[in-house]
Amino acid sequence: MPDNSTATTGKTPVDFWFDPLCPWAWMTSRWMLEVEKVRDIEVRWHVMSLSVLNEDRLDELPEEYRELLEKGWGPVRVVVAAQQKHGDEVVGPLYTALGTRFHNQGEGATRESVVAALQDVGLPAELADFADSDVYDAELRASHKEGIDKVGQDVGTPVIAVPGADGEQIAFFGPVVTPAPKGEDAAKLWDGTLMVASIPGFYEIKRTRTQGPIFD
């Protein structure tokens, strides 16, 4: 469950659910870090899992995507293990380390990349062993469920939850954007997100993607 630590800082809390494997969630997360620089917000990081999301429909998916989902258990399990053993504050930095290696540096979600990312943020390399362990799967599923319960089943990652008009959280899938906006562009997209969240009954804006993730 999200904590209330931001209540004492006076910053607007934003809850963000990610799967380290997803390049689009990575783009959105880099935008959120830009928003932290230009708006008085604080991001609270949570895991969700594309492997969990799709586990009941594997027969409907292409073989290549099924193989990706099978590999997807590892990184998210490692993040949950790190959170359970070292606290919520390690989740954001570890996600940044993993995503930088997986996406920006093109290393992919290998064990070697996971070990290196753990070392990048000063966490024990042996946490990588949890990639093949279900010991914290209950916590993983609980975090995933919390995000999905806010936004609904027919989405993927990322999920963000922001304050609505009455202060109650409104959750969305996305925004999906590439490259990650910076500076004033990041602020404008954030302001627009709050604006649509303030409209009762608003659900969706979408168009076909014409380019892939741009990692910069």
Side-chain angles (χ1 to χ4, degrees), residues 204-211:
E204 185 175 1
I205 292 177
K206 190 171 184 178
R207 63 174 179 157
T208 299
R209 280 174 262 175
T210 57
Q211 61 180 348

Side-chain angles (χ1 to χ4, degrees), residues 53-63 65-66 69:
L53 186 68
N54 291 285
E55 63 183 347
D56 294 330
R57 53 186 295 263
L58 291 177
D59 292 343
E60 307 168 18
L61 301 174
E63 181 178 355
Y65 194 57
R66 290 200 303 270
L69 294 176

Side-chain angles (χ1 to χ4, degrees), residues 88-211:
D88 291 345
E89 63 273 12
V90 306
V91 176
L94 179 56
Y95 178 34
T96 288
L98 289 168
T100 298
R101 289 184 173 275
F102 290 1
H103 305 300
N104 291 64
Q105 297 177 11
E107 296 179 11
T110 65
R111 178 181 173 85
E112 292 75 17
S113 294
V114 171
V115 168
L118 288 165
Q119 294 173 332
D120 288 341
V121 294
L123 289 170
E126 55 263 30
L127 284 170
D129 294 340
F130 285 94
D132 300 314
S133 170
D134 63 1
V135 67
Y136 291 123
D137 278 8
E139 289 81 2
L140 165 57
R141 290 177 181 276
S143 180
H144 174 90
K145 183 178 185 298
E146 183 183 17
I148 288 297
D149 282 352
K150 288 180 179 292
V151 75
Q153 288 289 335
D154 55 340
V155 301
T157 176
V159 169
I160 63 171
V162 304
D166 59 0
E168 182 180 355
Q169 280 193 324
I170 302 294
F172 295 113
F173 162 65
V176 176
V177 62
T178 186
K182 295 178 175 59
E184 186 56 30
D185 284 341
K188 287 192 292 186
L189 180 56
W190 169 251
D191 294 343
T193 300
L194 289 185
M195 183 177 296
V196 297
S198 73
I199 305 300
F202 174 83
Y203 292 102
E204 185 175 1
I205 292 177
K206 190 171 184 178
R207 63 174 179 157
T208 299
R209 280 174 262 175
T210 57
Q211 61 180 348

